[in-house]
Amino acid sequence: MHTRRKFIKIGALGLGATAVTTAVASWATGNTSGSTRSVNDRAVSGWHRFPTYCEVCFWKCAGWTYVSPEGSIQKIIGNDDDPQCNGRLCPRGTGGVGMYSDPDRLKTPLIRVTKNGEQTYREATWDEALDFIANKMKEIAGKHGPESIALFNHGTPGKYFTHLLNAFGSNNVAAPSFAQCRGPRDTGFELTFGESVSSPEVTDIRDTRCLVLIGSHIGENMHNGQVQEMSEAIDKGAVIITVDPRLSTAASKSKFWLPIKPSTDLALLLAWIHVLIHDNLYNREYVAQYAEGFNELKEHVRDFTPEWAYGITTIKPELIRHTAREMANAAPSVIIHPGRHTTWYGDDVQRSRAIAILNALLGSWGNRGGIFFKEGIKIPDFPRPAYPKPSWSWQDTLNGRYPFAKEAVTNTIIEASIPKPGMEHIIKGWFVAGTNLVVSIPLKEQLMQAMQALDLLVVIDTMPMEITGYADVVLPECTYLERYDDLRATAHREPTIALRMPAVQPSYLTKPSWWISKQIGERLGLGAFYNYKDFKEVLQWQLKQIGSSMEEMERIGLKKYPRKSPVYIESIAEFKFKTASGKIQLKSNELQEAGFDAMPVYTPHPQPEDGYYRLIYGRAPMHTFSRTANNRNLVALMPENSVWVNPQVAELWGLRKDQHVWLKNQAGVLSNFSVKVRITERIRWDSVYIVHGFGHHHKPLTYAFGRGVNDTELISRLAIDPIMGGTGMRGNFVTFVKTEPRKEGKL
Amino acid sequence: MRYAMAIDTRKCVGCSDCVVACQTENDVPNGFCRDWVKEVVDGTYPNVSIELRSERCNHCANSPCVRCCPTGASHFEEGGIVLVEHNKCIGCGACIESCPYEARYSHPDGYVDKCTFCIHRVRQGNDPACVSVCPTRCMYFGDLEDPNSKLVNVLKNRKFKSLAPEAGTQPQIFYLL
């Protein structure tokens, strides 16, 4: 590896820690303490509460930050009026204050320098850091064009840097949430229904009679509104069918748990389609009215019987038939849940298509208890000049691959950052905001190669995540509790907007991302795109356009707008889907024309060899990605992950409970750290399970460092979805290493 | 008046929000908790079941902790809520040993601490913090002597159990099955 960009551990620098600023902001005086109704109010006099929406995950629940008279944030409580949380935040939202109080936060801008031949960071003023970035951007644009600056982002900060890059002349903006997460689902649903299920998902779980989860572990993925609705569905006696090689929490609450052999889901889905069609259980009227390609589909699935699927999935034919009948009995009040993290085996768009087709056959799209129509409020853009048109864009990095990628594919942006002879479109600078690429992106070598080749790498974060160690400039962002941000505008059952405002002033020298973007923009001569002094002006202007005001939003935090369009399909005469023909595509001509299977086909995937176990990863309800592993309010609940091992496997290997083992994958890649063994009947004997987001190797994360293992470092084999570029990550197999291996070349 | 709690094990997903909410509401020091979630796995793959339970002080009617407290710090408040008066507590730990639920811990400030059913909230007509925050609404808090309460209603209509009934403590937390 080149050493141009040597990894620097920020904490090792002994940077001076400024005391946390806890003074209550001046605007606190006379705020809304106790003035509006809330069963959650703690009646302590002198407390102030400030509206916010959560940033610990993407669900963005609206809530209130409570600040004591001494100026410390005491608690965060959900906003009763918010349909996304109904006044109840999840553990991460409740523990969100730990992001603010984390002693390891980034505190000051840092610039990479070489001192006595050693690379290190020096504390910098904001002016120095911002000047440095702007000058580098100009230099890169002068040589390669503005297009060669790219952004990787997640969460609210992304928007300000997208704006910066768009104004500068680049639209190379990528998010791991597409090619590493929900991309296949969205693509599969768009190809079938003309649109996807968005976020928060428009699944009518609250009113469903049958919920089918394919590897989706609601309750462990703590997508708040969805978890709440699943609980409500349980209360109302809905049938839950869960397909998962692991007894997930949701599976344990299901009437039917189908402990499927991993990687064979598509065979089960095809068998279900077969049963619905060939046993005449499908919704004939709905299909006749809204779908096309039925006869071809019927013919296509003729041989995909439950008996055929049994040999592949290990799910008994009677159970496949029985569960198909349960779905049909509930139809159209049934949801075959589209899932969210769907980058599994490389044929994920096709699996998502099969899920979409099942929903179509049951008539769930547009029906109560199925998938409803969303409506939201459009927040107008603050007046600005038109963005310049880039001469090339992320589409050009696809090189003819992934024809159905509607969003930038992180992997091709990374590829385009590695110089190759004769390369037409090269990327030389990265902004990384709110995403820890080192942990979230598989294929570490490619990532490292790309980062080494860059002329500029700017990381904006609140925490010294691994990615910060590779930056030329690290910019400390203040947490969501200390800043204004864009309005949250949600399209769901009812349109809502939510305000986020600072509850306290930013700690240390941290700044909000809107400010950082504006400062860089102005240095680039793009001041016209930032025609405001303070972001509050933008919000005031936007609120005025949509019939509200800052005063109102500060008081209520969340505003609902009356719905204008129907929620369900039956009230719309001659409803047209957003596909080219206006009909649901049971058979996809678009896919066929592009040379892909027009209807899903089951393909066998590699299986682990003796002594190896499929690495399955997922979520725990008290953590989000890798970003909460250092949050002191949450780590007590789960300080590290463990590797789940079936008792039979444990016996075979002589593993004891809580014994530390290292994991090694099929390519010989060894985990950075050891992990505790959890022996449990909840997992199949051919698989192991770990919760994603642990195994941090960056010492400045003083709590998270070295706790547990990071699944993505063991994911060295990817099955890339040729349709949209998703990185299938479930095709890796690990074995146990019981004694401490000699370690070389740690990442 | 007899305060009690029913917790629906069919709905609880074990997210531990109750734990975090309690900690932020009651300033429980890092590393300690007044409530916690237990997962009990039963059976052999693939015939496995899980029970998830949010546990805490059972505010027993026949409380060994109150009985064994040498200073009277552990005592009953209205509705049978068992409290520890911090000023009177000498931190001897007898109550910790006597509790069959391991519901008490030694606070770093030298006294014994545990769940209060959020008496400061209950006195104002609010639910305890754990109940008010639970995303699955699997917890019901109320007065067992109020026949119209949701609590009494669920206990009438559902099977339930309490923990360690053999200890004879008459616990007031009920788990709906």
Side-chain angles (χ1 to χ4, degrees):
Chain A
M1 189 187 287
H2 305 282
T3 50
R4 202 197 72 70
R5 179 167 283 111
K6 192 170 167 279
F7 183 65
I8 306 174
K9 296 183 173 104
I10 287 173
L13 307 173
L15 301 175
T18 325
V20 183
T21 316
T22 50
V24 187
S26 53
W27 59 79
T29 331
N31 197 270
T32 58
S33 65
S35 64
T36 49
R37 74 191 167 82
S38 167
V39 293
N40 287 317
D41 270 356
R42 175 166 163 182
V44 178
S45 62
W47 286 50
H48 295 284
R49 60 176 210 181
F50 299 89
T52 189
Y53 58 86
C54 188
E55 185 75 14
V56 190
C57 93
F58 42 72
W59 206 261
K60 298 189 165 74
C61 299
W64 300 101
T65 313
Y66 282 77
V67 178
S68 71
E70 297 76 41
S72 65
I73 298 180
Q74 204 57 36
K75 60 178 180 179
I76 311 166
I77 299 292
N79 187 318
D80 289 334
D81 294 328
D82 183 18
Q84 264 153 264
C85 74
N86 302 301
R88 291 157 185 254
L89 298 178
C90 82
R92 300 161 305 161
T94 306
V97 61
M99 280 174 79
Y100 164 74
S101 57
D102 198 312
D104 298 331
R105 277 175 63 175
L106 292 169
K107 299 178 176 91
T108 165
L110 301 171
I111 295 181
R112 175 180 294 265
V113 289
T114 304
K115 215 187 249 173
N116 305 328
E118 278 290 304
Q119 293 191 14
T120 183
Y121 284 120
R122 70 169 177 85
E123 289 186 24
T125 63
W126 274 100
D127 276 335
E128 284 176 298
L130 298 165
D131 286 345
F132 179 92
I133 294 167
N135 289 335
K136 270 280 181 205
M137 286 176 77
K138 284 184 211 160
E139 196 183 307
I140 292 171
K143 274 191 219 161
H144 308 279
E147 297 85 354
S148 56
I149 309 277
L151 165 68
F152 296 90
N153 75 103
H154 189 96
T156 43
K159 197 165 169 200
Y160 312 111
F161 298 103
T162 303
H163 175 67
L164 173 68
L165 261 60
N166 287 167
F168 191 56
S170 168
N171 68 2
N172 286 315
V173 176
S177 56
F178 182 71
Q180 277 69 49
C181 195
R182 59 178 166 74
R185 166 193 92 175
D186 289 347
T187 309
F189 270 69
E190 279 156 13
L191 284 163
T192 313
F193 292 109
E195 63 183 309
S196 189
V197 289
S198 68
S199 174
E201 283 80 0
V202 289
T203 44
D204 202 5
I205 298 175
R206 185 180 73 187
D207 290 322
T208 198
R209 292 173 57 207
C210 179
L211 173 64
V212 184
L213 302 172
I214 317 287
S216 175
H217 50 2
I218 297 179
E220 284 158 291
N221 70 31
M222 201 65 203
H223 305 165
N224 197 344
Q226 224 169 212
V227 177
Q228 296 195 13
E229 292 197 18
M230 184 172 81
S231 177
E232 207 173 329
I234 291 172
D235 249 350
K236 291 181 183 166
V239 172
I240 303 179
I241 300 167
T242 300
V243 180
D244 203 311
R246 182 178 67 96
L247 183 76
S248 61
T249 301
S252 78
K253 308 207 175 288
S254 301
K255 184 170 176 190
F256 301 96
W257 170 39
L258 281 53
I260 195 165
K261 179 175 175 180
S263 81
T264 66
D265 310 79
L266 194 40
L268 172 70
L269 295 165
L270 289 168
W272 271 340
I273 294 173
H274 170 96
V275 175
L276 289 182
I277 293 180
H278 288 271
D279 291 0
N280 267 318
L281 296 168
Y282 69 100
N283 191 331
R284 308 189 85 151
E285 208 184 318
Y286 183 95
V287 168
Q289 192 175 351
Y290 297 116
E292 60 188 19
F294 178 77
N295 290 332
E296 289 98 326
L297 179 68
K298 184 175 181 180
E299 190 49 37
H300 176 71
V301 298
R302 181 173 299 280
D303 297 331
F304 300 145
T305 60
E307 286 70 20
W308 164 80
Y310 175 42
I312 298 168
T313 61
T314 72
I315 305 300
K316 295 214 165 79
E318 312 87 82
L319 188 53
I320 297 177
R321 289 206 166 81
H322 190 149
T323 44
R325 276 197 299 278
E326 288 276 0
M327 295 176 215
N329 285 344
S333 177
V334 52
I335 303 162
I336 319 300
H337 199 283
R340 187 149 180 145
H341 177 82
T342 44
T343 43
W344 300 355
Y345 302 110
D347 55 359
D348 305 306
V349 173
Q350 293 289 11
R351 187 184 63 254
S352 299
R353 276 264 301 146
I355 291 171
I357 289 169
L358 272 170
N359 279 301
L361 291 173
L362 294 160
S364 70
W365 190 287
N367 272 307
R368 187 184 190 81
I371 293 163
F372 60 82
F373 299 136
K374 62 179 186 278
E375 187 180 309
I377 284 283
K378 173 107 183 70
I379 310 272
D381 278 349
F382 191 74
R384 57 161 172 83
Y387 291 134
K389 195 176 157 28
S391 65
W392 62 274
S393 73
W394 61 266
Q395 282 94 343
D396 295 291
T397 66
L398 301 176
N399 296 328
R401 296 165 295 175
Y402 322 137
F404 294 92
K406 283 208 179 157
E407 295 177 37
V409 178
T410 43
N411 1 335
T412 70
I413 299 278
I414 293 168
E415 262 175 36
S417 309
I418 302 172
K420 279 174 229 60
M423 209 172 179
E424 223 182 305
H425 306 299
I426 189 157
I427 285 169
K428 296 304 288 180
W430 288 5
F431 279 77
V432 181
T435 176
N436 188 13
L437 291 184
V438 181
V439 177
S440 57
I441 297 273
L443 290 187
K444 307 297 180 208
E445 276 179 36
Q446 195 187 49
L447 180 68
M448 293 302 141
Q449 246 184 314
M451 290 197 293
Q452 291 303 335
L454 294 172
D455 288 346
L456 175 67
L457 175 48
V458 181
V459 174
I460 302 105
D461 213 314
T462 66
M463 290 293 296
M465 300 313 246
E466 277 77 3
I467 183 70
T468 55
Y470 297 91
D472 295 307
V473 186
V474 179
L475 301 179
E477 190 192 23
C478 57
T479 66
Y480 69 106
L481 301 170
E482 306 163 284
R483 69 192 192 217
Y484 282 105
D485 257 318
D486 266 310
L487 294 165
R488 181 200 93 184
T490 302
H492 208 245
R493 287 193 184 93
E494 29 187 355
T496 55
I497 58 163
L499 173 70
R500 174 185 288 165
M501 71 179 290
V504 290
Q505 287 174 337
S507 310
Y508 317 109
L509 294 178
T510 63
K511 291 283 185 186
S513 278
W514 65 260
W515 182 90
I516 301 172
S517 166
K518 176 172 151 69
Q519 289 290 322
I520 299 173
E522 285 168 353
R523 282 167 171 77
L524 294 169
L526 303 170
F529 289 88
Y530 297 90
N531 196 15
Y532 45 85
K533 276 207 181 65
D534 194 289
F535 202 67
K536 201 173 167 180
E537 279 174 54
V538 176
L539 297 173
Q540 277 164 335
W541 182 87
Q542 288 177 321
L543 286 167
K544 201 172 165 196
Q545 311 305 308
I546 54 173
S548 179
S549 66
M550 204 59 166
E551 184 278 326
E552 181 188 37
M553 290 307 291
E554 284 181 5
R555 196 178 67 246
I556 61 178
L558 180 125
K559 187 178 170 79
K560 292 179 182 178
Y561 285 84
R563 193 166 168 130
K564 292 178 186 140
S565 62
V567 186
Y568 301 120
I569 204 166
E570 74 258 6
S571 43
I572 307 170
E574 303 198 17
F575 178 80
K576 292 256 184 289
F577 281 86
K578 289 174 182 156
T579 53
S581 66
K583 298 255 186 187
I584 300 168
Q585 303 292 292
L586 298 177
K587 173 181 176 239
S588 169
N589 295 325
E590 273 183 278
L591 280 176
Q592 191 167 31
E593 280 158 24
F596 300 110
D597 293 325
M599 287 170 287
V601 175
Y602 167 71
T603 322
H605 297 292
Q607 296 299 323
E609 287 180 23
D610 269 3
Y612 282 80
Y613 305 89
R614 187 181 298 274
L615 176 66
I616 307 178
Y617 54 85
R619 303 243 180 266
M622 57 293 279
H623 285 289
T624 304
F625 315 137
S626 64
R627 70 163 54 172
T628 50
N630 207 64
N631 179 325
R632 303 301 200 278
N633 288 69
L634 299 177
V635 293
L637 304 174
M638 184 180 174
E640 62 194 299
N641 57 4
S642 57
V643 57
W644 294 28
V645 179
N646 182 281
Q648 290 183 39
V649 176
E651 201 186 323
L652 197 70
W653 283 81
L655 299 176
R656 297 179 322 275
K657 176 177 178 273
D658 291 342
Q659 175 180 353
H660 276 266
V661 295
W662 284 257
L663 300 178
K664 189 169 79 174
N665 81 356
Q666 72 285 336
V669 177
L670 198 64
S671 60
N672 247 309
F673 303 107
S674 61
V675 62
K676 276 185 185 171
V677 171
R678 176 188 178 183
I679 300 171
T680 176
E681 294 284 359
R682 292 178 63 182
I683 184 78
R684 269 176 76 101
W685 46 85
D686 55 3
S687 308
V688 294
Y689 174 76
I690 57 179
V691 169
H692 170 74
F694 291 88
H696 280 279
H697 61 268
H698 200 201
K699 279 198 173 136
L701 298 166
T702 56
Y703 186 89
F705 175 79
R707 290 182 194 260
V709 293
N710 168 6
D711 52 328
T712 62
E713 73 191 18
L714 296 164
I715 297 171
S716 61
R717 174 164 60 194
L718 294 185
I720 301 205
D721 198 314
I723 299 176
M724 50 59 71
T727 53
M729 297 188 271
R730 295 262 165 95
N732 288 267
F733 312 124
V734 295
T735 191
F736 308 104
V737 178
K738 290 165 70 180
T739 49
E740 175 149 22
R742 205 159 61 86
K743 307 269 310 206
E744 288 168 10
K746 279 190 189 179
L747 183 69
Chain B
M1 196 162 57
R2 173 68 250 192
Y3 288 126
M5 205 182 266
I7 301 175
D8 192 342
T9 59
R10 287 199 320 201
K11 293 203 291 185
C12 174
V13 295
C15 74
S16 307
D17 203 3
C18 43
V19 183
V20 193
C22 171
Q23 288 168 331
T24 58
E25 176 69 33
N26 296 303
D27 269 330
V28 179
N30 266 345
F32 296 93
C33 58
R34 293 178 175 183
D35 56 351
W36 61 93
V37 173
K38 199 163 257 178
E39 175 192 319
V40 182
V41 181
D42 194 32
T44 309
Y45 193 98
N47 301 306
V48 202
S49 65
I50 310 173
E51 184 174 287
L52 289 161
R53 292 196 303 256
S54 172
E55 297 187 358
R56 59 187 52 58
C57 169
N58 277 271
H59 297 276
C60 305
N62 179 20
S63 307
C65 54
V66 172
R67 222 179 311 123
C68 76
C69 178
T71 67
S74 282
H75 66 284
F76 293 106
E77 284 283 344
E78 74 264 24
I81 294 179
V82 177
L83 280 195
V84 183
E85 200 171 318
H86 296 162
N87 294 336
K88 276 194 193 167
C89 176
I90 53 170
C92 72
C95 55
I96 296 178
E97 294 305 316
S98 77
C99 175
Y101 307 103
E102 298 179 43
R104 294 171 164 244
Y105 69 95
S106 281
H107 193 282
D109 290 348
Y111 54 85
V112 170
D113 192 38
K114 66 167 199 71
C115 164
T116 63
F117 264 170
C118 279
I119 193 165
H120 64 287
R121 293 174 57 95
V122 171
R123 280 178 179 154
Q124 304 197 335
N126 295 326
D127 276 334
C130 55
V131 176
S132 76
V133 80
C134 175
T136 66
R137 295 175 194 259
C138 74
M139 293 190 228
Y140 305 89
F141 176 82
D143 179 3
L144 278 182
E145 289 167 8
D146 173 5
N148 299 319
S149 65
K150 180 90 182 156
L151 173 73
V152 170
N153 193 39
V154 289
L155 288 172
K156 267 187 194 159
N157 291 305
R158 292 275 299 275
K159 276 190 193 165
F160 60 85
K161 67 172 181 187
S162 53
L163 298 180
E166 68 280 5
T169 57
Q170 297 172 36
Q172 302 298 315
I173 310 261
F174 305 100
Y175 293 94
L176 304 173
L177 302 171

